[in-house]
Amino acid sequence: MEEIGASNLGHFNSLYLGTLLVGLLLVILVGGWIGSHLGGLAWHSNPAVQFNWHPLLMTIGMIFLYGNAILIYRGFRMTKKRNLKITHATLHGLAFLATVLGLKAVFDSHDLASPPIPNLYSMHSWLGLLAVILFSAQYLVGFISFLAPGLSQPLREKIMPYHVLFGLYGFVAAAATALLGFSEKIFFTLKSDYANLPAQGILVNFIALFVILFAGLVVYLATESRYKRQALPEDAILLTGQTD
C-alpha cells in the first residue's frame, strides 16, 4: 500500500495540531463559563452548583477525550500498534470515568433539589443517553475484540469497520447532545434576556461553535483516506503473535 505523501502528512499534522488546540480551547471555554457565570463547582453541599460538573466532565469525556481516542492511530502513526491500542483503550476508559461522574452530578443535582427536578424528559437527555449507551457498548466490544486474547484475526477484521463506524456515530451523537445541552442550559439561565446577547450568551454561542468545529475536524481527519495510518513492520508481530 502506498505510503502517505510528505505533502499530505504535512497537511495532516497541521490539521491534527489545530484540532487538539480547538479541543483544549473548548474545555477552557466551558471551564471559564462555569467559573465566571455559573458559580463554580461543588458537590452534594450545593446541588444546584453540583450540576456544573455535568457540562464540564461531559465535554472533557464525551467530546475531548473521545475525539482524541478516535484520532490516536492517525496522530501517532509511527508508534507500534500494540501501544496505540492500549492508549486508545485508556483514553476511552478516562472518557468513561468522566462520563459516569458527569451523569452522577446531573442526577444528584436533580434528585437533591427542593423540589426535585424530573430526570430524562428532554431531547438532550434522550439523545445523551443514546450516545452514552453507544459509547459504552463500543468500549466493551472493542476491548473484547481487539485487546482481550482469543478472537481470530479474520473475525477482528470483520468487526473493525463496524467498530469504526459506530464509534463515529457515538461521537457525533455526543457532539449533538452537547449542543442541545448548552442551548437548554442557557435558555433556562437567561430566559428572555438571551435575546439581548449578554456576555454569557455570547460565550455559550462560541462554545457551541467550538463543539461543531472540533467534531467536524475529528470526523474529517478520521475518515479522509489520504491520512490513513499505514501498517509498520512491527505490526506484523502483533498479527502473528511472534515476540520481539
Side-chain angles (χ1 to χ4, degrees), residues 62 66 126-136 169-170 173-175 177:
M62 291 295 286
Y66 195 168
W126 283 31
L127 183 57
L129 186 61
L130 174 64
V132 170
I133 291 173
L134 186 56
F135 168 78
S136 302
Y169 276 165
T177 301

Side-chain angles (χ1 to χ4, degrees), residues 10-217:
H11 292 159
F12 172 84
N13 289 337
S14 298
L15 285 172
Y16 181 59
L17 290 175
T19 302
L20 294 180
L21 179 59
V22 169
L24 285 173
L25 288 174
L26 170 61
V27 173
I28 291 170
L29 286 175
V30 173
W33 172 43
I34 290 170
S36 300
H37 298 283
L38 299 183
L41 298 167
W43 203 242
H44 288 167
S45 61
N46 190 336
V49 178
Q50 183 183 1
F51 170 86
N52 296 341
W53 281 106
H54 179 68
L56 179 62
L57 289 172
M58 300 307 277
T59 299
I60 292 173
M62 291 295 286
I63 304 295
F64 182 70
L65 290 176
Y66 195 168
N68 277 280
I70 289 172
L71 294 180
I72 195 71
Y73 285 99
R74 297 192 173 196
F76 293 84
R77 61 183 63 249
M78 300 308 296
T79 302
K80 289 183 179 181
K81 195 168 186 179
R82 178 185 300 148
N83 296 334
L84 290 177
K85 284 186 175 185
I86 294 172
T87 305
H88 179 74
T90 300
L91 288 175
H92 276 310
L94 292 173
F96 180 77
L97 177 61
T99 298
V100 170
L101 292 174
L103 290 176
K104 178 171 175 54
V106 70
F107 283 120
D108 281 353
S109 70
H110 286 182
D111 295 339
L112 298 176
S114 184
I117 300 171
N119 291 305
L120 299 175
Y121 67 88
S122 67
M123 188 185 306
H124 165 68
S125 61
W126 283 31
L127 183 57
L129 186 61
L130 174 64
V132 170
I133 291 173
L134 186 56
F135 168 78
S136 302
Q138 275 287 101
Y139 187 47
L140 179 61
V141 170
F143 185 87
I144 294 173
S145 302
F146 304 110
L147 274 181
L151 261 65
S152 65
Q153 187 58 30
L155 182 55
R156 291 181 178 184
E157 291 175 355
K158 289 181 180 179
I159 294 173
M160 177 58 74
Y162 298 100
H163 180 65
V164 172
L165 178 63
F166 285 102
L168 287 173
Y169 276 165
F171 176 70
V172 171
T177 301
L179 294 175
L180 288 173
F182 290 133
S183 179
E184 182 179 288
K185 178 61 177 177
I186 202 65
F187 274 116
F188 284 162
T189 302
L190 297 179
K191 298 181 174 61
S192 61
D193 191 44
Y194 189 22
N196 298 322
L197 284 180
Q200 183 177 180
I202 293 173
L203 176 58
V204 172
N205 287 354
F206 271 104
I207 288 173
L209 292 176
F210 270 77
V211 170
I212 294 171
L213 180 58
F214 181 73
L217 286 169

